[in-house]
């Protein structure tokens, strides 16, 4: 066997080996599976893991925007006119959040923490000064007191006396600072004198600056990557006690700060939010890209806050059979000390048209009022998010309060918030690097196939060269005439010259 033949044989063997190996590994998804298993082991909530520090102290900046609905026709409304509001905002705060008192529990299979948040006002991102700007809105302390007192004629009479004494009306005008962070309400001061459990101060964000929502215990994801960041208990409870059914009281999903890797498009993700006193779910809407990072956009479908007629599973959130609200609303009074507080999306987005039409100034828009999460499907990292929610008060005729006699049931908007975050450049660079590694390793079989194709081309070239050289050699060794006589031979080269044979008798 010549050296050239050995080379062709070797190249052919290598080519076949690379192609068979590469195609086999690609079909079996071996390297992809190995990479995914590696991700599952590294993306866990334990000390020293790739994500633990960023989970405790998220690096991307979070902004909280507050928008208020200023009532412009209080007197006319009290006389029976349609209420009119104008949106005022945003009043923007930088939100600093971190996990406090982090500790491993249950032999390291769970991690407990407190979610602490603090807020710093950003004048350059706001429409005005919250210490100066006044907002006319529903007098929430008054409606809370009236609602609780309406169950008893004696309590209602006492509440009427107190309200008249301090001149507490159905609406109030306060600064943005007071409405957010608290003010001493004269009616609550009177009530607290006979009911010490009632606080004197009211504010939509009262005691939420520099505080937490209570202890959370999370799954680390070490035993099952699908449990990464999932809440096991909140305030020591694995079930809530606010609603009518076990399903409604279930604590499902994460707290919204962490999601398991390897997300699927048809997956439904769950989030437990103490602000709503329940778990909600989100479904994928579309694919997006943020700073070059591919992501799935998850958003709550209309069924989350649908009426019990549209979604029978939501019947458990009805406070009483008579207090089942329509689509787009959730009455959260069970976890708000009985106050007639109703949650919705801003401007009643995804809600029934009747709620929008009841208030002049409502204009639901998907772009500005939708809640969504953009998650990288490989890592589960949040690359962009907007959490939007609206606080409303249920105004209606109350037994024992004659001045409410002319009111129809009205869901009155007070304020909505927009909590937003976009991944920072440094974190985006780390995600890009990780995704590049995953892509290269997962596609390694294709690289092997590519090398096999290159070796095949080399083999073809060697075969062509070998063929040409053999053809040339055959031409070099073919017959050619040696003299003119041979050329002129009519027998076409078959003449053989012979010498006369010597006579043996000579």
């Amino acid at each position: 066997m010549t050296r050239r033949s050995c080379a062709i044989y070797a190249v052919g063997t290598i080519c076949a080996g690379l192609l068979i190996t590469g195609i086999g590994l690609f079909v079996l998804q071996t390297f992809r599976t190995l990479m995914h298993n590696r991700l599952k082991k590294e993306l866990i909530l334990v000390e020293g893991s790739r994500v633990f520090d960023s989970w405790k102290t998220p690096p991307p900046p979070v902004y909280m925007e507050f928008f208020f609905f200023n009532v412009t026709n209080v007197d006319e409304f009290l006389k029976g006119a349609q209420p009119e509001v104008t949106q005022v905002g945003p009043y923007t705060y930088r939100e600093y959040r971190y996990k406090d008192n982090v500790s491993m529990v249950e032999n390291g299979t769970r991690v407990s923490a407190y979610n602490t948040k603090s807020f710093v006002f950003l004048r350059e991102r706001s429409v005005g000064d919250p210490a100066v700007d006044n907002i006319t809105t529903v007098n929430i302390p008054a409606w809370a007191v009236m609602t609780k007192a309406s169950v008893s004629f004696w309590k209602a009479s006492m509440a009427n006396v107190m309200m008249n004494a301090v001149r507490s009306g159905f609406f109030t005008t306060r600064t943005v600072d007071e409405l957010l962070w608290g003010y001493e309400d004269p009616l609550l001061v009177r009530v607290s004198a006979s009911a010490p459990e009632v606080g004197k101060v009211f504010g939509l964000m009262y005691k939420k600056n520099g505080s937490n929502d209570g202890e959370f215990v999370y799954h680390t994801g070490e035993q099952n990557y699908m449990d990464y960041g999932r809440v096991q208990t909140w305030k020591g409870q694995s079930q809530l006690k606010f609603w009518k059914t076990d399903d409604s009281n279930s604590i499902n999903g994460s707290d919204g700060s962490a999601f398991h890797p390897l997300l699927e498009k048809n997956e439904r993700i769950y989030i437990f939010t103490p602000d709503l006193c329940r778990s909600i779910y989100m479904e994928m809407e579309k694919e997006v890209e943020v700073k070059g990072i591919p992501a799935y956009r998850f958003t709550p479908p209309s069924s989350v806050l649908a009426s019990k007629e549209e979604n029978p599973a939501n019947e458990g959130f009805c406070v009483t059979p008579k207090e089942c609200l329509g689509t787009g609303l959730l009455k959260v009074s069970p976890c708000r000390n009985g106050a007639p507080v109703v949650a919705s999306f801003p401007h009643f987005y995804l809600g029934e048209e009747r709620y929008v039409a009841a208030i002049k100034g409502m204009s639901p828009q998907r772009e500005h009022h939708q809640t969504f999460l953009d998650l990288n499907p490989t890592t589960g990292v949040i690359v962009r998010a907007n959490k939007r929610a609206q606080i409303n008060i249920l105004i209606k005729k109350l037994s024992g309060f004659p001045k409410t006699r002319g009111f129809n049931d009205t869901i009155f908007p007070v304020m909505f918030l927009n909590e937003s975050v976009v991944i920072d450049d440094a974190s985006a660079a780390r995600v890009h690097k990780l995704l590049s590694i995953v892509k290269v390793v997962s596609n390694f079989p294709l690289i092997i196939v590519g090398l096999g194709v290159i070796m095949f081309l080399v083999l073809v070239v060697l075969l062509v060269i070998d063929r040409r050289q053999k053809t040339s050699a055959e031409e070099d060794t073919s017959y050619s005439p040696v003299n003119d006589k041979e050329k002129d031979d009519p027998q076409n080269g078959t003449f053989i010259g012979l010498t006369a044979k010597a006579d043996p008798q000579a």
Side-chain angles (χ1 to χ4, degrees):
M1 183 180 291
T2 65
R3 183 179 299 176
R4 187 185 307 117
S5 298
C6 289
I8 293 173
Y9 178 79
V11 171
T13 303
I14 294 172
C15 171
L18 289 173
L19 289 174
I20 293 172
T21 302
I23 294 172
L25 291 174
F26 179 78
V27 171
L28 296 174
Q29 295 288 300
T30 304
F31 280 86
R32 183 182 177 88
T33 302
L34 288 173
M35 196 65 236
H36 285 181
N37 289 338
R38 182 69 180 271
L39 282 174
K40 294 173 186 178
K41 291 180 179 179
E42 289 198 6
L43 301 182
I44 56 177
L45 297 179
V46 297
E47 288 284 357
S49 71
R50 183 185 292 270
V51 296
F52 197 61
D53 288 340
S54 60
W55 175 76
K56 290 191 295 184
T57 308
V62 180
Y63 298 98
M64 179 72 87
E65 296 176 319
F66 297 101
F67 299 82
F68 288 87
F69 295 106
N70 186 55
V71 186
T72 58
N73 66 336
V74 171
D75 294 336
E76 292 80 359
F77 171 69
L78 293 176
K79 293 176 182 178
Q82 182 186 24
E84 296 182 16
V85 300
T86 56
Q87 180 179 298
V88 182
Y91 294 90
T92 306
Y93 293 77
R94 171 70 189 273
E95 179 181 329
Y96 295 90
R97 49 169 64 190
Y98 60 92
K99 301 283 195 301
D100 199 12
N101 292 332
V102 178
S103 59
M104 305 304 298
V105 296
E106 297 185 27
N107 295 323
T109 60
R110 307 287 186 273
V111 56
S112 68
Y114 291 81
N115 297 324
T116 302
K117 299 179 182 179
S118 59
F119 301 89
V120 177
F121 179 65
L122 300 177
R123 181 64 183 86
E124 68 276 8
R125 287 175 169 256
S126 305
V127 297
D129 186 348
V132 175
D133 296 354
N134 287 317
I135 302 293
T136 298
T137 187
V138 178
N139 189 346
I140 298 178
W143 281 97
V145 170
M146 289 190 296
T147 300
K148 296 200 74 171
S150 63
V151 297
S152 164
F153 176 78
W154 181 82
K155 290 182 178 180
S157 300
M158 291 296 296
N160 273 307
V161 170
M162 292 181 184
M163 290 179 67
N164 290 330
V166 299
R167 297 182 180 181
S168 181
F170 297 141
F171 292 85
T172 185
T173 299
R174 297 283 177 177
T175 67
V176 171
D177 263 349
E178 288 177 321
L179 290 173
L180 282 177
W181 310 113
Y183 62 93
E184 189 171 270
D185 184 81
L187 178 59
L188 295 180
V189 172
R190 283 292 186 97
V191 173
S192 65
S194 56
E197 70 277 6
V198 177
K200 301 177 182 180
V201 178
F202 168 78
L204 295 167
M205 296 289 291
Y206 180 55
K207 290 185 176 181
K208 290 189 177 182
N209 195 352
S211 61
N212 61 73
D213 295 321
E215 183 189 30
F216 283 81
V217 174
Y218 305 90
H219 290 262
T220 63
E222 192 169 13
Q223 296 174 317
N224 184 349
Y225 81 100
M226 294 289 289
D227 288 336
Y228 170 76
R230 184 168 67 85
V231 178
Q232 176 173 290
T233 62
W234 175 58
K235 293 184 176 180
Q237 300 176 341
S238 58
Q239 284 278 109
L240 303 174
K241 298 179 180 179
F242 303 127
W243 312 109
K244 293 169 54 180
T245 64
D246 289 340
D247 286 343
S248 301
N249 281 316
S250 295
I251 297 177
N252 297 322
S254 74
D255 64 353
S257 65
F259 297 90
H260 69 79
L262 309 178
L263 291 162
E264 300 289 344
K265 289 184 177 181
N266 60 351
E267 189 171 344
R268 174 180 280 184
I269 62 173
Y270 286 84
I271 300 172
F272 170 66
T273 168
D275 293 332
L276 291 178
C277 316
R278 61 165 288 187
S279 299
I280 65 170
Y281 53 85
M282 306 176 81
E283 297 174 348
M284 181 189 163
E285 178 186 71
K286 60 182 179 180
E287 295 185 48
V288 297
E289 187 175 284
V290 181
K291 295 187 177 182
I293 301 173
Y296 294 165
R297 172 162 292 181
F298 288 87
T299 185
S302 58
S303 58
V304 170
L305 296 182
S307 65
K308 66 175 183 178
E309 288 76 21
E310 292 184 23
N311 184 3
N314 285 344
E315 186 173 0
F317 296 110
C318 296
V319 179
T320 66
K322 294 182 179 180
E323 294 183 273
C324 275
L325 301 177
T327 293
L329 304 178
L330 174 68
K331 191 172 183 181
V332 293
S333 55
C335 60
R336 292 292 180 267
N337 296 318
V341 179
V342 177
S344 70
F345 294 116
H347 287 253
F348 302 114
Y349 173 71
L350 295 183
E352 294 179 21
E353 178 59 29
R354 59 185 170 125
Y355 300 125
V356 178
I359 310 292
K360 189 173 181 180
M362 295 289 98
S363 179
Q365 299 175 35
R366 178 180 181 180
E367 178 184 358
H368 301 296
H369 305 139
Q370 182 189 50
T371 290
F372 66 84
L373 278 170
D374 292 342
L375 304 176
N376 175 252
T378 302
T379 62
V381 170
I382 300 171
V383 293
R384 181 171 54 197
N386 280 83
K387 171 187 172 184
R388 293 158 171 157
Q390 181 170 298
I391 297 174
N392 313 276
I393 297 297
L394 174 60
I395 291 179
K396 64 178 183 178
K397 184 190 304 181
L398 292 172
S399 176
F401 296 92
K403 293 182 180 180
T404 65
R405 193 171 300 159
F407 289 149
N408 296 318
D409 288 9
T410 303
I411 307 298
F412 215 103
V414 176
M415 174 201 80
F416 80 83
L417 58 86
N418 177 26
E419 190 176 27
S420 62
V421 63
V422 177
I423 190 169
D424 61 292
D425 292 340
S427 298
R430 287 193 293 271
V431 173
H432 272 296
K433 183 178 179 181
L434 180 58
L435 292 179
S436 297
I437 295 173
V438 172
K439 187 174 183 179
V440 169
V441 174
S442 298
N443 292 327
F444 191 69
L446 295 180
I447 297 175
I448 297 177
V449 172
L451 291 174
V453 171
I454 293 173
M455 295 302 293
F456 176 75
L457 295 176
V458 172
L459 176 64
V460 171
V461 172
L462 289 175
L463 289 172
V464 170
I465 293 174
D466 183 65
R467 178 63 179 170
R468 286 180 178 176
Q469 290 180 347
K470 284 183 177 180
T471 302
S472 177
E474 289 174 358
E475 291 176 352
D476 291 343
T477 59
S478 65
Y479 174 80
S480 61
V482 296
N483 54 46
D484 292 339
K485 186 176 181 180
E486 184 177 348
K487 292 179 181 178
D488 297 334
D489 178 35
Q491 297 184 10
N492 199 20
T494 61
F495 174 79
I496 301 177
L498 298 174
T499 58
K501 185 176 179 181
D503 187 355
Q505 298 178 353

